[in-house]
Amino acid sequence: MTNAANRRLHFTLEATASGSSARAARFTTRHNEVLTPTFMPVGTHAAVRSQRREDLLESGAQVLLANTYHLLLRPGVEIFEKFGGIHAFMNWPRSVLTDSGGYQIFSLPGSRTLHEDHAEFTSYVDNTLIRLSPESSIEAQKAIGADIMMVLDQCVPSTVEHSVARSAMQVTHRWAQRSLAARGDSPQALFGIVQGASYADLRIESAQTIAQMPFDGYAIGGLAVGESSAQREDCTATVTELLPQDSPRYLMGVGTTRDLLEAVHRGVDMFDCILPTSLAKQGVAFTSLGRRDLRRAAYRGMEGPIDPACGCYTCKTYSIAYLFHLQRVHETTGWQLLGLHNIHFYMRLMRTVREHILAGTWLPFYHAQRDVLDARDSYGKAATHVTKAAVRAARRKRGRYEVIVRDDVGYIRDTTSGEVMHLGADPAQEARSLYVEQSRLIERLQVPSDEPLVVWDVGLGAAANAMAAILAAESLSSASVAAARQLVLVSFENDLDSLKLALRHPRWFKHLRHAAPRALLAENCWINAAAKIEWLLLGGDFAARKFDAPSPDIIFFDPFSFKTDSALWTLPAFRELAQACLHKPAELFTYTYSTSVRAAMLAAGFYVAKGRGTGPKAETTIGLSPQAAAAPHEHELLGQEWLTKWRRSDAQAPFGCPADDMSWHEAVLLHPQFQKRL
């Protein structure tokens, strides 16, 4: 099916970076071709503050952002109708995107009233009552002549209660449908907006709902309104994974150069923010050396440009000392010159990002630039005092991981990919539900046998799944233990920093308040003879170490996603797992319900069933060896309905399949579970 983006914007995805969601693409509006990633300077009132049109064109700006709310009040829709649209009015030859006014409705709580049909607010120009609805917002944007229009949405602070965020999200979804209907056959592109505050379950629901609507692009709204940068990054990563691959993705109102870098890494294509000009007014410049703050007297007599690596007019013409002087005497020329430089710097950064994605060198560039771009003014003597807050922050990081805390529960975040394990659910609770209870671990242990029950824990992480199994086994009564099978738990992990980090913070990782994890790290083994438990740690590459372990009866398959641990999710990896389970009635449990992963499991020889939902996921996945599938079980195998959806999917192929190898396709179609139901 051809997406609306291909009809109106002719979107082409050119490259996706290895080990990242960063991507380079291009699309065409009615005025020009836009290369992404791209930054859109903010021209709220049909002008970028303090900047000349000529300088914006020279900077390489491809799209300017204007605001429907403000333009509706001044100069008014009739002026745009008279001049034939905003391009002729402001003499701008390239694209314009108009925000709908939703954020302005949110930011004026004292002078607006929200209804299901529309929002009412008092004009700051003449105090008249204005009504803005999805339909009137689209009609205004049509008259303005925007190349890209935005739906009217309801934005709320990221810190609101869940019920408030859900209500606003649902209004946004209904307004999105009305905006689409109001757009009609207009050639102007229209973007939908994902809302949901900082709640992962709402963001997932909103992304899935908006993605089903035929928009030309998709935006992530309601961020940079009170949440932390970590929450913003997690939210962005969660949403982009659910948005269509063949449409542009726009992160609204964000942010610093570091914010842009992190968002590109998570799959965003378009950005806007007022910071380049608003911070310039305060004397702050973004440079290749980090931020420079011209309010500091250290720059009073300094020679040389504000950024030695920049070739913009400001850097070629004026010294830091002169720019400092303009800032000190509040001369507006200083604001203009610093704003010019900042916009040039943002645009050059986006071009450089694009070049690295296309060249296959994105990840080294990303890692090298993360801290440089966010570095604050470091000219002069460095501070030697280390604050308690800095010490606490350092304790939350180890290697590539960091701890984030929500509602007094700790989560492990991979800072390289931005992925958070178990986001949206209590990890200990999810471990019990998804792995221990679904696998019927207790029941299996209580079936007498001389053979141990072998559980593979693939992706030890912070040991939530392993400890859930251990605590469950230890909960058996002494009488039950005497007749029970031995539990042999084998954990696989190639990077123990996540567990070591979590052990620093037992307040937030309550499942680690046990002797077993520290003993495991010290000895690679922990034994509770009384409870018949043996816990083994096999460090290193799972692809090699699994051959050192006894064959499994149960597999807890819980590594990070393909984006972070790509080798574990490929068809060859699942084929090796299927071989390890071939001679046993073994079952595999995993948190994903990805079409590609399920196809890989089927092609590898597993029977695949629906698993119970957990956290924000509606369902998960269970893999059964042929012996397990042939034995009596209560799992619901995927059927013809799933197979039909798979045939229509853009994600048919298992991860890691060579382009010239289509054997997997026939293996899925002819899989025995689709020929007859066991």
Side-chain angles (χ1 to χ4, degrees), residues 216-246:
D216 306 294
Y218 300 87
I220 306 171
L223 294 179
V225 287
E227 77 286 350
S228 68
S229 58
Q231 287 177 311
R232 183 160 58 249
E233 291 160 11
D234 295 341
C235 174
T236 302
T238 298
V239 171
T240 54
E241 288 184 0
L242 299 172
L243 295 180
Q245 292 285 325
D246 59 352

PDB file of all heavy atoms in Angstrom, residues 216-246:
ATOM      1  N   ASP A 216       0.970  12.342   6.152  1.00  0.00           N
ATOM      2  CA  ASP A 216       2.163  12.429   5.311  1.00  0.00           C
ATOM      3  C   ASP A 216       3.438  12.360   6.134  1.00  0.00           C
ATOM      4  O   ASP A 216       4.520  12.150   5.593  1.00  0.00           O
ATOM      5  CB  ASP A 216       2.137  13.741   4.519  1.00  0.00           C
ATOM      6  CG  ASP A 216       0.838  13.891   3.745  1.00  0.00           C
ATOM      7  OD1 ASP A 216       0.624  13.089   2.837  1.00  0.00           O
ATOM      8  OD2 ASP A 216       0.040  14.780   4.085  1.00  0.00           O
ATOM      9  N   GLY A 217       3.328  12.561   7.428  1.00  0.00           N
ATOM     10  CA  GLY A 217       4.452  12.474   8.351  1.00  0.00           C
ATOM     11  C   GLY A 217       3.915  12.417   9.763  1.00  0.00           C
ATOM     12  O   GLY A 217       2.704  12.612   9.996  1.00  0.00           O
ATOM     13  N   TYR A 218       4.794  12.154  10.703  1.00  0.00           N
ATOM     14  CA  TYR A 218       4.357  11.930  12.085  1.00  0.00           C
ATOM     15  C   TYR A 218       5.269  12.688  13.043  1.00  0.00           C
ATOM     16  O   TYR A 218       6.494  12.619  12.934  1.00  0.00           O
ATOM     17  CB  TYR A 218       4.362  10.432  12.389  1.00  0.00           C
ATOM     18  CG  TYR A 218       3.428   9.679  11.479  1.00  0.00           C
ATOM     19  CD1 TYR A 218       3.854   9.221  10.228  1.00  0.00           C
ATOM     20  CD2 TYR A 218       2.102   9.474  11.832  1.00  0.00           C
ATOM     21  CE1 TYR A 218       2.993   8.563   9.367  1.00  0.00           C
ATOM     22  CE2 TYR A 218       1.224   8.816  10.972  1.00  0.00           C
ATOM     23  CZ  TYR A 218       1.678   8.364   9.743  1.00  0.00           C
ATOM     24  OH  TYR A 218       0.817   7.726   8.894  1.00  0.00           O
ATOM     25  N   ALA A 219       4.647  13.397  13.973  1.00  0.00           N
ATOM     26  CA  ALA A 219       5.387  14.230  14.919  1.00  0.00           C
ATOM     27  C   ALA A 219       5.240  13.689  16.329  1.00  0.00           C
ATOM     28  O   ALA A 219       4.250  13.045  16.668  1.00  0.00           O
ATOM     29  CB  ALA A 219       4.897  15.678  14.855  1.00  0.00           C
ATOM     30  N   ILE A 220       6.242  13.962  17.145  1.00  0.00           N
ATOM     31  CA  ILE A 220       6.215  13.632  18.567  1.00  0.00           C
ATOM     32  C   ILE A 220       6.072  14.955  19.304  1.00  0.00           C
ATOM     33  O   ILE A 220       6.981  15.779  19.297  1.00  0.00           O
ATOM     34  CB  ILE A 220       7.495  12.902  18.996  1.00  0.00           C
ATOM     35  CG1 ILE A 220       7.737  11.678  18.112  1.00  0.00           C
ATOM     36  CG2 ILE A 220       7.412  12.504  20.466  1.00  0.00           C
ATOM     37  CD1 ILE A 220       9.086  11.023  18.341  1.00  0.00           C
ATOM     38  N   GLY A 221       4.918  15.174  19.915  1.00  0.00           N
ATOM     39  CA  GLY A 221       4.650  16.430  20.598  1.00  0.00           C
ATOM     40  C   GLY A 221       4.644  16.256  22.099  1.00  0.00           C
ATOM     41  O   GLY A 221       4.769  15.159  22.638  1.00  0.00           O
ATOM     42  N   GLY A 222       4.498  17.365  22.815  1.00  0.00           N
ATOM     43  CA  GLY A 222       4.357  17.311  24.259  1.00  0.00           C
ATOM     44  C   GLY A 222       5.628  17.007  25.011  1.00  0.00           C
ATOM     45  O   GLY A 222       5.583  16.586  26.166  1.00  0.00           O
ATOM     46  N   LEU A 223       6.792  17.225  24.397  1.00  0.00           N
ATOM     47  CA  LEU A 223       8.060  17.049  25.092  1.00  0.00           C
ATOM     48  C   LEU A 223       8.719  18.411  25.285  1.00  0.00           C
ATOM     49  O   LEU A 223       8.299  19.412  24.726  1.00  0.00           O
ATOM     50  CB  LEU A 223       8.976  16.097  24.322  1.00  0.00           C
ATOM     51  CG  LEU A 223       8.471  14.648  24.246  1.00  0.00           C
ATOM     52  CD1 LEU A 223       9.426  13.788  23.447  1.00  0.00           C
ATOM     53  CD2 LEU A 223       8.270  14.059  25.643  1.00  0.00           C
ATOM     54  N   ALA A 224       9.797  18.401  26.082  1.00  0.00           N
ATOM     55  CA  ALA A 224      10.467  19.644  26.484  1.00  0.00           C
ATOM     56  C   ALA A 224       9.499  20.546  27.243  1.00  0.00           C
ATOM     57  O   ALA A 224       9.540  21.773  27.130  1.00  0.00           O
ATOM     58  CB  ALA A 224      11.051  20.380  25.269  1.00  0.00           C
ATOM     59  N   VAL A 225       8.606  19.913  28.014  1.00  0.00           N
ATOM     60  CA  VAL A 225       7.644  20.663  28.825  1.00  0.00           C
ATOM     61  C   VAL A 225       7.670  20.172  30.270  1.00  0.00           C
ATOM     62  O   VAL A 225       6.626  20.053  30.918  1.00  0.00           O
ATOM     63  CB  VAL A 225       6.211  20.582  28.238  1.00  0.00           C
ATOM     64  CG1 VAL A 225       6.088  21.407  26.986  1.00  0.00           C
ATOM     65  CG2 VAL A 225       5.804  19.130  27.987  1.00  0.00           C
ATOM     66  N   GLY A 226       8.874  19.845  30.769  1.00  0.00           N
ATOM     67  CA  GLY A 226       9.004  19.500  32.178  1.00  0.00           C
ATOM     68  C   GLY A 226       9.679  18.181  32.469  1.00  0.00           C
ATOM     69  O   GLY A 226      10.093  17.940  33.601  1.00  0.00           O
ATOM     70  N   GLU A 227       9.821  17.296  31.465  1.00  0.00           N
ATOM     71  CA  GLU A 227      10.450  16.006  31.716  1.00  0.00           C
ATOM     72  C   GLU A 227      11.977  16.128  31.686  1.00  0.00           C
ATOM     73  O   GLU A 227      12.521  17.121  31.197  1.00  0.00           O
ATOM     74  CB  GLU A 227       9.991  14.976  30.679  1.00  0.00           C
ATOM     75  CG  GLU A 227      10.645  15.100  29.300  1.00  0.00           C
ATOM     76  CD  GLU A 227      10.156  16.264  28.470  1.00  0.00           C
ATOM     77  OE1 GLU A 227       9.146  16.902  28.866  1.00  0.00           O
ATOM     78  OE2 GLU A 227      10.771  16.566  27.433  1.00  0.00           O
ATOM     79  N   SER A 228      12.676  15.114  32.185  1.00  0.00           N
ATOM     80  CA  SER A 228      14.135  15.100  32.128  1.00  0.00           C
ATOM     81  C   SER A 228      14.588  14.716  30.722  1.00  0.00           C
ATOM     82  O   SER A 228      13.806  14.183  29.919  1.00  0.00           O
ATOM     83  CB  SER A 228      14.695  14.091  33.132  1.00  0.00           C
ATOM     84  OG  SER A 228      14.374  12.766  32.736  1.00  0.00           O
ATOM     85  N   SER A 229      15.865  14.984  30.419  1.00  0.00           N
ATOM     86  CA  SER A 229      16.382  14.609  29.106  1.00  0.00           C
ATOM     87  C   SER A 229      16.336  13.097  28.919  1.00  0.00           C
ATOM     88  O   SER A 229      16.066  12.607  27.812  1.00  0.00           O
ATOM     89  CB  SER A 229      17.814  15.128  28.935  1.00  0.00           C
ATOM     90  OG  SER A 229      18.661  14.617  29.948  1.00  0.00           O
ATOM     91  N   ALA A 230      16.591  12.325  29.998  1.00  0.00           N
ATOM     92  CA  ALA A 230      16.529  10.868  29.896  1.00  0.00           C
ATOM     93  C   ALA A 230      15.113  10.406  29.567  1.00  0.00           C
ATOM     94  O   ALA A 230      14.915   9.519  28.720  1.00  0.00           O
ATOM     95  CB  ALA A 230      17.014  10.227  31.194  1.00  0.00           C
ATOM     96  N   GLN A 231      14.110  10.993  30.222  1.00  0.00           N
ATOM     97  CA  GLN A 231      12.722  10.643  29.917  1.00  0.00           C
ATOM     98  C   GLN A 231      12.382  10.997  28.472  1.00  0.00           C
ATOM     99  O   GLN A 231      11.705  10.232  27.780  1.00  0.00           O
ATOM    100  CB  GLN A 231      11.776  11.381  30.860  1.00  0.00           C
ATOM    101  CG  GLN A 231      11.766  10.861  32.284  1.00  0.00           C
ATOM    102  CD  GLN A 231      10.867  11.696  33.184  1.00  0.00           C
ATOM    103  OE1 GLN A 231      10.948  12.930  33.191  1.00  0.00           O
ATOM    104  NE2 GLN A 231      10.010  11.053  33.935  1.00  0.00           N
ATOM    105  N   ARG A 232      12.861  12.164  28.020  1.00  0.00           N
ATOM    106  CA  ARG A 232      12.590  12.583  26.651  1.00  0.00           C
ATOM    107  C   ARG A 232      13.213  11.606  25.648  1.00  0.00           C
ATOM    108  O   ARG A 232      12.592  11.232  24.647  1.00  0.00           O
ATOM    109  CB  ARG A 232      13.136  13.998  26.441  1.00  0.00           C
ATOM    110  CG  ARG A 232      12.853  14.572  25.062  1.00  0.00           C
ATOM    111  CD  ARG A 232      12.979  16.083  25.079  1.00  0.00           C
ATOM    112  NE  ARG A 232      14.285  16.554  25.511  1.00  0.00           N
ATOM    113  CZ  ARG A 232      14.518  17.183  26.661  1.00  0.00           C
ATOM    114  NH1 ARG A 232      13.533  17.398  27.507  1.00  0.00           N
ATOM    115  NH2 ARG A 232      15.729  17.603  26.971  1.00  0.00           N
ATOM    116  N   GLU A 233      14.429  11.194  25.910  1.00  0.00           N
ATOM    117  CA  GLU A 233      15.111  10.269  25.006  1.00  0.00           C
ATOM    118  C   GLU A 233      14.434   8.907  24.999  1.00  0.00           C
ATOM    119  O   GLU A 233      14.274   8.281  23.945  1.00  0.00           O
ATOM    120  CB  GLU A 233      16.581  10.152  25.402  1.00  0.00           C
ATOM    121  CG  GLU A 233      17.374  11.429  25.138  1.00  0.00           C
ATOM    122  CD  GLU A 233      18.663  11.510  25.934  1.00  0.00           C
ATOM    123  OE1 GLU A 233      19.052  10.482  26.547  1.00  0.00           O
ATOM    124  OE2 GLU A 233      19.296  12.573  25.957  1.00  0.00           O
ATOM    125  N   ASP A 234      14.023   8.445  26.177  1.00  0.00           N
ATOM    126  CA  ASP A 234      13.333   7.160  26.250  1.00  0.00           C
ATOM    127  C   ASP A 234      12.005   7.216  25.494  1.00  0.00           C
ATOM    128  O   ASP A 234      11.658   6.290  24.755  1.00  0.00           O
ATOM    129  CB  ASP A 234      13.062   6.783  27.713  1.00  0.00           C
ATOM    130  CG  ASP A 234      14.334   6.553  28.499  1.00  0.00           C
ATOM    131  OD1 ASP A 234      15.385   6.319  27.874  1.00  0.00           O
ATOM    132  OD2 ASP A 234      14.283   6.630  29.738  1.00  0.00           O
ATOM    133  N   CYS A 235      11.284   8.302  25.684  1.00  0.00           N
ATOM    134  CA  CYS A 235       9.999   8.469  25.005  1.00  0.00           C
ATOM    135  C   CYS A 235      10.192   8.492  23.493  1.00  0.00           C
ATOM    136  O   CYS A 235       9.464   7.837  22.744  1.00  0.00           O
ATOM    137  CB  CYS A 235       9.327   9.752  25.482  1.00  0.00           C
ATOM    138  SG  CYS A 235       7.826  10.156  24.586  1.00  0.00           S
ATOM    139  N   THR A 236      11.195   9.233  23.047  1.00  0.00           N
ATOM    140  CA  THR A 236      11.467   9.333  21.611  1.00  0.00           C
ATOM    141  C   THR A 236      11.776   7.964  21.021  1.00  0.00           C
ATOM    142  O   THR A 236      11.255   7.590  19.966  1.00  0.00           O
ATOM    143  CB  THR A 236      12.638  10.298  21.360  1.00  0.00           C
ATOM    144  OG1 THR A 236      12.322  11.590  21.897  1.00  0.00           O
ATOM    145  CG2 THR A 236      12.925  10.431  19.870  1.00  0.00           C
ATOM    146  N   ALA A 237      12.632   7.200  21.697  1.00  0.00           N
ATOM    147  CA  ALA A 237      12.990   5.872  21.207  1.00  0.00           C
ATOM    148  C   ALA A 237      11.776   4.955  21.151  1.00  0.00           C
ATOM    149  O   ALA A 237      11.602   4.184  20.190  1.00  0.00           O
ATOM    150  CB  ALA A 237      14.079   5.265  22.095  1.00  0.00           C
ATOM    151  N   THR A 238      10.925   5.026  22.168  1.00  0.00           N
ATOM    152  CA  THR A 238       9.725   4.189  22.203  1.00  0.00           C
ATOM    153  C   THR A 238       8.805   4.509  21.030  1.00  0.00           C
ATOM    154  O   THR A 238       8.292   3.600  20.359  1.00  0.00           O
ATOM    155  CB  THR A 238       8.962   4.412  23.525  1.00  0.00           C
ATOM    156  OG1 THR A 238       9.796   4.012  24.619  1.00  0.00           O
ATOM    157  CG2 THR A 238       7.674   3.610  23.563  1.00  0.00           C
ATOM    158  N   VAL A 239       8.616   5.793  20.759  1.00  0.00           N
ATOM    159  CA  VAL A 239       7.662   6.201  19.718  1.00  0.00           C
ATOM    160  C   VAL A 239       8.197   5.919  18.321  1.00  0.00           C
ATOM    161  O   VAL A 239       7.471   5.398  17.465  1.00  0.00           O
ATOM    162  CB  VAL A 239       7.312   7.695  19.881  1.00  0.00           C
ATOM    163  CG1 VAL A 239       6.500   8.193  18.688  1.00  0.00           C
ATOM    164  CG2 VAL A 239       6.539   7.911  21.174  1.00  0.00           C
ATOM    165  N   THR A 240       9.458   6.257  18.049  1.00  0.00           N
ATOM    166  CA  THR A 240       9.972   6.096  16.682  1.00  0.00           C
ATOM    167  C   THR A 240       9.933   4.643  16.232  1.00  0.00           C
ATOM    168  O   THR A 240       9.758   4.368  15.038  1.00  0.00           O
ATOM    169  CB  THR A 240      11.400   6.636  16.554  1.00  0.00           C
ATOM    170  OG1 THR A 240      12.239   6.026  17.558  1.00  0.00           O
ATOM    171  CG2 THR A 240      11.440   8.143  16.707  1.00  0.00           C
ATOM    172  N   GLU A 241      10.087   3.705  17.160  1.00  0.00           N
ATOM    173  CA  GLU A 241      10.034   2.297  16.780  1.00  0.00           C
ATOM    174  C   GLU A 241       8.658   1.898  16.258  1.00  0.00           C
ATOM    175  O   GLU A 241       8.524   0.912  15.538  1.00  0.00           O
ATOM    176  CB  GLU A 241      10.400   1.412  17.973  1.00  0.00           C
ATOM    177  CG  GLU A 241      11.877   1.458  18.337  1.00  0.00           C
ATOM    178  CD  GLU A 241      12.225   0.490  19.457  1.00  0.00           C
ATOM    179  OE1 GLU A 241      11.299  -0.209  19.930  1.00  0.00           O
ATOM    180  OE2 GLU A 241      13.399   0.432  19.849  1.00  0.00           O
ATOM    181  N   LEU A 242       7.632   2.672  16.610  1.00  0.00           N
ATOM    182  CA  LEU A 242       6.262   2.325  16.226  1.00  0.00           C
ATOM    183  C   LEU A 242       5.755   3.135  15.039  1.00  0.00           C
ATOM    184  O   LEU A 242       4.679   2.834  14.507  1.00  0.00           O
ATOM    185  CB  LEU A 242       5.324   2.541  17.425  1.00  0.00           C
ATOM    186  CG  LEU A 242       5.642   1.697  18.665  1.00  0.00           C
ATOM    187  CD1 LEU A 242       4.779   2.143  19.841  1.00  0.00           C
ATOM    188  CD2 LEU A 242       5.416   0.221  18.384  1.00  0.00           C
ATOM    189  N   LEU A 243       6.496   4.159  14.620  1.00  0.00           N
ATOM    190  CA  LEU A 243       6.051   4.999  13.507  1.00  0.00           C
ATOM    191  C   LEU A 243       6.474   4.384  12.174  1.00  0.00           C
ATOM    192  O   LEU A 243       7.477   3.673  12.103  1.00  0.00           O
ATOM    193  CB  LEU A 243       6.625   6.407  13.653  1.00  0.00           C
ATOM    194  CG  LEU A 243       6.127   7.201  14.868  1.00  0.00           C
ATOM    195  CD1 LEU A 243       6.769   8.575  14.902  1.00  0.00           C
ATOM    196  CD2 LEU A 243       4.599   7.322  14.862  1.00  0.00           C
ATOM    197  N   PRO A 244       5.744   4.658  11.106  1.00  0.00           N
ATOM    198  CA  PRO A 244       6.080   4.076   9.805  1.00  0.00           C
ATOM    199  C   PRO A 244       7.497   4.435   9.357  1.00  0.00           C
ATOM    200  O   PRO A 244       7.969   5.558   9.567  1.00  0.00           O
ATOM    201  CB  PRO A 244       5.034   4.701   8.867  1.00  0.00           C
ATOM    202  CG  PRO A 244       3.891   5.056   9.757  1.00  0.00           C
ATOM    203  CD  PRO A 244       4.509   5.462  11.065  1.00  0.00           C
ATOM    204  N   GLN A 245       8.146   3.463   8.719  1.00  0.00           N
ATOM    205  CA  GLN A 245       9.503   3.682   8.221  1.00  0.00           C
ATOM    206  C   GLN A 245       9.519   4.609   7.007  1.00  0.00           C
ATOM    207  O   GLN A 245      10.528   5.259   6.738  1.00  0.00           O
ATOM    208  CB  GLN A 245      10.142   2.334   7.830  1.00  0.00           C
ATOM    209  CG  GLN A 245      10.429   1.418   9.005  1.00  0.00           C
ATOM    210  CD  GLN A 245      11.629   1.882   9.801  1.00  0.00           C
ATOM    211  OE1 GLN A 245      12.591   2.408   9.234  1.00  0.00           O
ATOM    212  NE2 GLN A 245      11.587   1.703  11.103  1.00  0.00           N
ATOM    213  N   ASP A 246       8.406   4.646   6.265  1.00  0.00           N
ATOM    214  CA  ASP A 246       8.410   5.349   4.984  1.00  0.00           C
ATOM    215  C   ASP A 246       7.792   6.738   5.072  1.00  0.00           C
ATOM    216  O   ASP A 246       7.225   7.239   4.105  1.00  0.00           O
ATOM    217  CB  ASP A 246       7.672   4.520   3.933  1.00  0.00           C
ATOM    218  CG  ASP A 246       6.225   4.228   4.319  1.00  0.00           C
ATOM    219  OD1 ASP A 246       5.848   4.536   5.469  1.00  0.00           O
ATOM    220  OD2 ASP A 246       5.479   3.703   3.476  1.00  0.00           O
TER     221      ASP A 246
END
